[in-house]
Amino acid sequence: MTRTAPSRSLRLRLTALATLAITVTVALATAVLVFSVVHAVRSNVTTTLNAYADSVSRSSTDGTWPRPLAPAPGGLGAWAQVVDGSGTVVASTANVAGQSARYTLPTGSTTPQRTAAAEQADERVIAQRHVSGHTPIVIYVGGSTELLSLLTSDIQGHLLYVLPLGLVGAVGVSWLLIGRTLRPVERIRAEAAEITASDLHRRIPEPASDDEIGRLARTLNTMLARLEASAGRQRRFVADASHELRTPLTAVRTSLEVGLAHPDHAPWPELAQRAVAETTRLQRLVDQLLLLARADDDTLLTRLEPLDLAALAAAAIDATPAHIPVDLHAPDPVPLLGDPDQLTRLIRNLLDNADRYARQHVTVTVKTEDPATAALVVADDGPGIPPEDRTRAFDRFVRLQSARGRQAGQSAGAGLGLSIAKDIATAHGGTLSVTATQSGEAPNGPGAAFTLRLPTGTDPAPVHQPAPTLPTPTSEPGRHSQHRRHRAPLDHEADTRRRDASLNPSETMPDQEESRDHVRLRYGF
């Protein structure tokens, strides 16, 4: 059973911490203050008594002492005794006159010892050894420490009243200041609590100060902007995906409904063939959407292994049905670490895109730009992509029909091929960009050149990998090996079966739904 911790106010916790900190600080300060005062008073008493003892020692004249001894200056109330070696009091002040020696000083010691004649009072006593004439004597000087005791008691008494009042005041001030400090945080919390998925356009008011609260508000607003953009992309993706999925489903449903309406005259084999083709397109679109979901979840790559990008490109060219000749320029093997399945998908997407828009030829160039970067360029001689649309071309469900155009009778794709290719490149730590083909390579138009750059992730040494479709590189410097690969147009059924077997994610789909009347006219019933 899960136990929920009791809710505590942050303001209360901060106030408690502030009170604890103030209490510890005041206690330490008070202890230091009391120790300093007591030490200063005790040092002053000791210094005064030492000075009085020196004055007493100077009052002797040829071993004769004044009787009584002069009192201590300043009304200190100190007493003095001059004691000879036998313990007899030779001279004393008037306040201890007639008393026997109050203290003795053992041989080799500097600390006086109290005798029975000494009063049981708090006093500070010092002893100094002197020689009066030829007689060794000890001068004892003592003073009451009652002032020190009174001072200590007075300080303690005041602290008993002042400290609690000071702590109470500190708690109150801390509570008010912390509450005022946390008030903007509470406003931010209340405003954030009112923001839901339907109003991500709202923002938290930002204070003018550039402190922690202001930075928190700006950070939350930045996060809300990212969430709003992400939610917008997700809504557009769901809407586009729903539209694309509806097209083949509607086509299948229309064909079946028309067939069921005229069961005796419907060409069922042709309707079944059309339903299979549409469900195949639907399956390819679902595969694309699942691939995009994996890309969003950062699980696109399943394995990384050494491979040759040139061999991979050659194999992809051989396996991809094409209507336009493809020239491969791969002078040397291009080793790197990557997922062969996903890189093959990327290359075939680029080839399919180039085959759809090229006029006469497609050129594929594979090379190593530097020891850490491999490059693959797929260039066509088609209409090209305007500069303002080159970034948008990699967005999902984007078709640049106005810029690229289509060949007669060719259907548009779902607009996911280039987006998937971009996600695969990004998952490998690389980039995919598009520029205009150089004028010398595209005499029929500006063309489009898609450039893939990938980190090799391995040593520059060639990766030995079977590649029967690659030619042996020429040994002449500066000369590129060229392979022209051209596949004649296939019939519709064979083309469909070949593309289905290869699971090419950039395959095209119908432009629009066919109505029931169109189906009747098409099949003649």
Side-chain angles (χ1 to χ4, degrees):
M1 181 177 178
T2 304
R3 301 180 64 181
T4 304
S7 175
R8 295 188 179 93
S9 168
L10 176 62
R11 184 181 184 182
L12 181 60
R13 293 200 302 269
L14 292 178
T15 302
L17 290 176
T19 302
L20 178 62
I22 293 173
T23 303
V24 173
T25 302
V26 171
L28 291 176
T30 302
V32 171
L33 175 63
V34 172
F35 175 80
S36 301
V37 170
V38 172
H39 179 73
V41 172
R42 182 175 287 121
S43 298
N44 184 61
V45 171
T46 302
T47 302
T48 303
L49 292 177
N50 279 319
Y52 179 45
D54 291 338
S55 68
V56 170
S57 67
R58 290 193 297 269
S59 66
S60 172
T61 303
D62 296 331
T64 303
W65 299 89
R67 300 176 187 273
L69 296 174
L76 181 62
W79 58 266
Q81 285 182 331
V82 178
V83 182
D84 60 13
S86 62
T88 302
V89 176
V90 177
S92 65
T93 55
N95 53 1
V96 290
Q99 296 184 14
S100 59
R102 307 181 71 178
Y103 287 87
T104 61
L105 186 64
T107 303
S109 174
T110 60
T111 303
Q113 300 294 325
R114 186 188 300 270
T115 64
E119 297 178 358
Q120 299 296 325
D122 293 332
E123 59 181 0
R124 170 71 169 152
V125 179
I126 65 170
Q128 293 183 355
R129 296 180 186 275
H130 292 275
V131 177
S132 176
H134 299 284
T135 304
I137 52 104
V138 178
I139 299 176
Y140 296 96
V141 176
S144 174
T145 58
E146 184 179 359
L147 177 62
L148 183 61
S149 299
L150 292 176
L151 179 62
T152 304
S153 300
D154 188 57
I155 292 177
Q156 292 176 350
H158 283 81
L159 291 179
L160 289 177
Y161 296 101
V162 173
L163 282 181
L165 293 177
L167 291 178
V168 171
V171 171
V173 172
S174 300
W175 178 265
L176 294 177
L177 291 180
I178 293 174
R180 182 174 181 179
T181 302
L182 294 178
R183 196 172 300 134
V185 178
E186 176 61 24
R187 285 198 297 266
I188 292 174
R189 185 207 63 79
E191 186 70 22
E194 295 178 0
I195 298 177
T196 62
S198 59
D199 53 1
L200 291 175
H201 62 279
R202 293 177 56 181
R203 294 295 180 267
I204 296 172
E206 298 181 5
S209 59
D210 189 18
D211 54 6
E212 289 79 1
I213 303 299
R215 290 193 292 272
L216 173 63
R218 285 187 286 274
T219 300
L220 290 177
N221 284 336
T222 302
M223 181 188 68
L224 288 173
R226 291 197 300 267
L227 290 176
E228 182 183 11
S230 176
R233 288 193 300 268
Q234 184 177 11
R235 285 193 295 268
R236 290 191 298 271
F237 178 80
V238 172
D240 292 337
S242 301
H243 175 75
E244 296 295 337
L245 290 171
R246 184 177 59 184
T247 300
L249 289 175
T250 304
V252 172
R253 178 180 177 180
T254 301
S255 299
L256 295 178
E257 287 180 348
V258 171
L260 291 175
H262 306 276
D264 297 333
H265 303 285
W268 287 107
E270 295 183 18
L271 293 178
Q273 183 179 1
R274 185 168 186 263
V276 170
E278 294 298 339
T279 53
T280 301
R281 294 189 183 96
L282 180 62
Q283 180 182 0
R284 282 196 299 272
L285 181 57
V286 171
D287 291 338
Q288 291 175 348
L289 296 177
L290 291 176
L291 193 66
L292 291 175
R294 290 175 54 192
D296 292 339
D297 200 30
D298 294 331
T299 58
L300 191 58
L301 304 183
T302 58
R303 59 193 175 102
L304 293 177
E305 62 183 49
L307 52 87
D308 182 2
L309 186 61
L312 210 64
I317 293 173
D318 283 341
T320 303
H323 303 81
I324 304 296
V326 179
D327 293 336
L328 173 64
H329 297 264
D332 297 298
V334 180
L336 55 80
L337 282 176
D339 188 323
D341 295 335
Q342 299 300 341
L343 288 178
T344 299
R345 186 189 302 272
L346 186 156
I347 296 172
R348 294 174 68 174
N349 282 8
L350 296 181
L351 291 173
D352 184 80
N353 181 78
D355 183 71
R356 183 179 294 114
Y357 298 109
R359 289 188 173 93
Q360 293 183 358
H361 73 278
V362 175
T363 303
V364 178
T365 304
V366 186
K367 60 183 178 180
T368 301
E369 290 189 341
D370 55 66
T373 306
L376 180 142
V377 181
V378 178
D380 62 64
D381 60 349
I385 300 178
E388 62 273 12
D389 290 333
R390 289 173 184 171
T391 301
R392 195 168 63 91
F394 296 102
D395 292 343
R396 297 173 181 179
F397 298 104
V398 171
R399 300 185 184 92
L400 304 176
Q401 298 300 333
S402 60
R404 295 281 272 167
R406 281 183 291 160
Q407 297 178 3
Q410 199 171 28
S411 58
L416 294 177
L418 293 180
S419 176
I420 292 175
K422 179 81 170 182
D423 289 340
I424 295 174
T426 302
H428 281 84
T431 60
L432 180 61
S433 59
V434 58
T435 57
T437 306
Q438 297 180 7
S439 58
E441 299 180 12
N444 299 316
F450 289 86
T451 302
L452 169 69
R453 290 184 175 87
L454 297 173
T456 57
T458 183
D459 295 331
V463 177
H464 299 288
Q465 188 169 333
T469 58
L470 273 179
T472 303
T474 177
S475 59
E476 299 180 15
R479 181 179 177 184
H480 296 278
S481 62
Q482 299 183 2
H483 269 198
R484 179 178 295 274
R485 306 177 187 274
H486 173 62
R487 291 189 173 272
L490 306 176
D491 64 279
H492 176 73
E493 295 183 11
D495 191 16
T496 299
R497 288 193 302 270
R498 188 175 183 87
R499 289 176 183 267
D500 294 344
S502 63
L503 291 178
N504 183 7
S506 59
E507 175 57 25
T508 61
M509 298 197 320
D511 281 342
Q512 58 183 5
E513 304 175 7
E514 291 185 307
S515 65
R516 294 182 178 85
D517 294 337
H518 189 188
V519 173
R520 295 191 188 97
L521 292 175
R522 177 176 180 179
Y523 295 110
F525 62 93

